[in-house]
Amino acid sequence: MSGIVVVGAQWGDEGKGKIIDIFSSHADYVVRYQGGANAGHTLNVSGKQTILHLIPSGILHPHVQCIISSGVVLDVFSLIDEIANLKQAGYLKNKNQLLISESSAMLFDYHKQLDQAREHQAGSKKIGTTGRGIGPAYEERISRRALLFGDLFLDDEKLKEKLIKASKEVLFLLTHYYKQEAPSIDSLWEKLKKARDTLAPYRHSNTSLIIDQALKEGKKVLFEGAQGTLLDIFQGTYPYVTSSATTAGSALTGAGLGWSNIKKVLAVSKTYTTRVGHGPFPSECTPEEQLYLEEKGQERGATTNRRRRCGWLDLVALKYAIRLNGINSLALMKLDILSGLDTVKVCTAYNINGRRIHEYPVHFEQLSQCQAVYKEFPGWKQDLSRIVSFDDLPLTARQYIHFIEEELKIPIDIISVGPNREEVIERSSLF
Ligand code: IMP
């Protein structure tokens, strides 16, 4: 039993990619199990930045076997670009380092077009999606029309037949409801036939079996979550969520394995909160505070370059994430961004219609009415980036961390103090 699930405890962009990259040096496998190219995992290694959207964040370590499992929606052409970029940067020299499940659903430009058309029509009521076609691709999968990755390798005519069948409803919507020009399925078919050669080396018919065997042999497997708990389709701030289940249970269904294989759920959270897109955000900060966190924390989306909304750490939301995921360890990211502030705030409860509550309201109308109740801490001024031991942190930073640990009742085992791989304090070993 050596599987560890790494999940985002907030609304995504917590720094999961950096954590996976660091612990990949001790891991044998890294598995992506949900989401698609809406994710943007940023890795800073030896002064070079790599942004991954679909490929697991263990890929920079040549000994790690990376798997994209069947719960993922696979943007075929984005994947081809990502593979090319990695190869150009000197990674993925061995084709066996990446395996893609033949049962993952493929995502095409027509899904993106529908996603964007819906957002455009919704105007001020839009979700604020990444425009990467995630919702339409999962809809196609759920309605049992999707083309799976394995279908790419069918003979030409069979592939075309499946493509026409799968795309029929989306094309109808695009043309007749959104009054847009429908993309050519013939040219998509031509492009797909050419994509086969590039992707064939990575296809695998049974990645769930590979993971199962690895776990039985005692290999160390990291399951890399994308997005965050509050974006979960079932438990998040619906309808301002993504279209996949982002909580830890999704690692089991998306990768295809039983619960007893999971040894630990590690959650990743920033020392403050960010959110991209629309939806309620009780601990959202003032415009001046937003400016500070956005600039110092470089809070712009890795996938869309959109500015991220910023807020203070929200313990009500984190407790909800702990409950939903069964989290037993926390990685606290970007402590260095708070250095320089006179006061650091933490949201400990919400006020709603004159009542004080400590449980996260599930309904979005209720959440929208919540006002954050804050506890304030004195800040610290020192540069933290070279600190490798918890005891060397400024006293006020340690007090802030101790408070969070006591409130959440789980250990903060990892503290990140800078963007680079080595800028991290490890208080206990992950595996
Ligand atoms: P979608 O996943 O593109 O459909 O977008 C739905 C919501 O999830 C929007 O609010 C997006 O901004 C958000 N979202 C999707 N992926 C990410 C991510 O990787 N980080 C942060 N937010 C995300």
Side-chain angles (χ1 to χ4, degrees):
M1 184 171 88
S2 42
I4 295 180
V5 183
V6 178
V7 288
Q10 300 167 308
W11 277 291
D13 309 314
E14 297 92 351
K16 297 177 291 295
K18 171 173 173 174
I19 291 297
I20 295 280
D21 172 58
I22 292 172
F23 291 104
S24 288
S25 53
H26 312 291
D28 301 296
Y29 289 78
V30 178
V31 182
R32 266 287 301 268
Y33 54 86
Q34 48 72 226
N38 49 347
H41 293 163
T42 307
L43 314 179
N44 292 292
V45 180
S46 314
K48 232 169 50 179
Q49 191 170 76
T50 308
I51 298 178
L52 300 167
H53 297 289
L54 275 162
I55 296 182
S57 303
I59 202 75
L60 307 192
H61 298 263
H63 74 277
V64 174
Q65 170 81 75
C66 290
I67 296 181
I68 299 178
S69 63
S70 49
V72 171
V73 283
L74 202 67
D75 182 335
V76 177
F77 300 105
S78 161
L79 177 69
I80 289 176
D81 289 345
E82 218 170 303
I83 290 173
N85 291 340
L86 279 170
K87 284 186 165 174
Q88 201 180 14
Y91 301 110
L92 193 52
K93 285 185 180 144
N94 174 2
K95 69 172 180 55
N96 295 327
Q97 212 201 330
L98 178 66
L99 293 182
I100 304 168
S101 166
E102 287 190 356
S103 341
S104 56
M106 290 196 283
L107 181 155
F108 307 118
D109 280 353
Y110 67 77
H111 296 112
K112 294 184 205 169
Q113 196 178 330
L114 179 59
D115 188 0
Q116 291 161 18
R118 280 176 175 159
E119 287 283 272
H120 183 72
Q121 199 184 65
S124 64
K125 296 216 161 42
K126 68 182 177 188
I127 307 274
T129 72
T130 58
R132 296 296 167 116
I134 304 300
Y138 273 114
E139 284 166 36
E140 208 165 271
R141 169 126 212 172
I142 300 296
S143 68
R144 294 157 292 185
R145 287 178 286 120
L147 253 85
L148 301 186
F149 182 52
D151 293 333
L152 183 64
F153 307 97
L154 291 171
D155 67 55
D156 290 356
E157 288 313 310
K158 194 104 184 135
L159 173 66
K160 188 169 186 180
E161 193 187 304
K162 285 214 167 192
L163 192 55
I164 290 170
K165 198 168 160 210
S167 61
K168 210 148 81 187
E169 288 188 17
V170 174
L171 298 195
F172 183 84
L173 273 178
L174 283 173
T175 344
H176 296 284
Y177 185 73
Y178 292 103
K179 309 286 180 214
Q180 293 193 1
E181 199 177 319
S184 156
I185 292 302
D186 269 345
S187 63
L188 173 58
W189 179 53
E190 293 299 338
K191 272 174 73 184
L192 282 174
K193 286 191 285 181
K194 288 189 195 124
R196 282 179 181 140
D197 286 349
T198 316
L199 295 177
Y202 309 107
R203 64 192 276 217
H204 198 280
S205 61
N206 203 342
T207 52
S208 141
L209 182 62
I210 300 272
I211 299 166
D212 185 62
Q213 280 166 348
L215 287 163
K216 283 197 174 112
E217 286 165 18
K219 295 269 180 358
K220 294 175 178 128
V221 183
L222 287 173
F223 295 91
E224 178 178 13
Q227 292 80 50
T229 299
L230 300 175
L231 289 172
D232 184 275
I233 185 72
F234 301 116
Q235 312 299 340
T237 50
Y238 192 88
Y240 297 99
V241 293
T242 189
S243 294
S244 68
T246 58
T247 41
S250 189
L252 307 178
T253 51
L257 73 151
W259 63 269
S260 55
N261 291 298
I262 301 304
K263 171 179 158 187
K264 192 187 269 187
V265 179
L266 170 73
V268 186
S269 165
K270 284 179 191 165
T271 43
Y272 50 97
T273 311
T274 59
R275 166 159 215 181
V276 196
H278 295 254
F281 187 175
S283 71
E284 189 158 18
C285 50
T286 63
E288 302 83 65
E289 294 165 344
Q290 162 79 34
L291 204 64
Y292 174 91
L293 291 173
E294 185 183 331
E295 297 218 329
K296 191 157 183 207
Q298 297 187 0
E299 295 300 349
R300 286 207 161 256
T303 300
T304 56
N305 198 33
R306 287 181 297 174
R307 63 183 277 278
R308 296 177 183 143
R309 296 157 65 193
C310 297
W312 297 106
L313 189 71
D314 183 343
L315 297 184
V316 184
L318 279 185
K319 285 176 188 170
Y320 180 56
I322 290 169
R323 177 160 70 79
L324 291 180
N325 292 290
I327 295 165
N328 26 37
S329 175
L330 189 70
L332 200 57
M333 312 302 283
K334 290 194 157 183
L335 185 66
D336 53 307
I337 303 305
L338 301 185
S339 296
L341 288 169
D342 292 329
T343 306
V344 175
K345 294 190 212 168
V346 182
C347 166
T348 54
Y350 299 150
N351 281 337
I352 177 166
N353 303 326
R355 265 184 322 123
R356 183 152 297 187
I357 57 168
H358 294 87
E359 284 295 330
Y360 201 74
V362 184
H363 199 276
F364 124 91
E365 296 290 352
Q366 247 189 322
L367 188 62
S368 308
Q369 291 167 33
C370 287
Q371 282 141 8
V373 176
Y374 292 111
K375 182 173 168 62
E376 297 193 355
F377 289 83
W380 55 90
K381 304 285 174 197
Q382 294 92 321
D383 169 25
L384 308 182
S385 60
R386 292 189 200 290
I387 295 180
V388 288
S389 155
F390 182 75
D391 294 337
D392 293 336
L393 284 172
L395 177 65
T396 45
R398 276 182 281 145
Q399 284 169 338
Y400 168 73
I401 288 168
H402 280 314
F403 175 77
I404 300 167
E405 261 180 335
E406 278 160 24
E407 284 286 306
L408 298 181
K409 299 184 176 55
I410 53 165
I412 296 174
D413 288 322
I414 300 150
I415 301 163
S416 174
V417 289
N420 299 310
R421 193 186 258 173
E422 59 281 5
E423 290 166 337
V424 72
I425 298 170
E426 284 182 57
R427 295 171 81 197
S428 87
S429 82
L430 183 64
F431 286 102

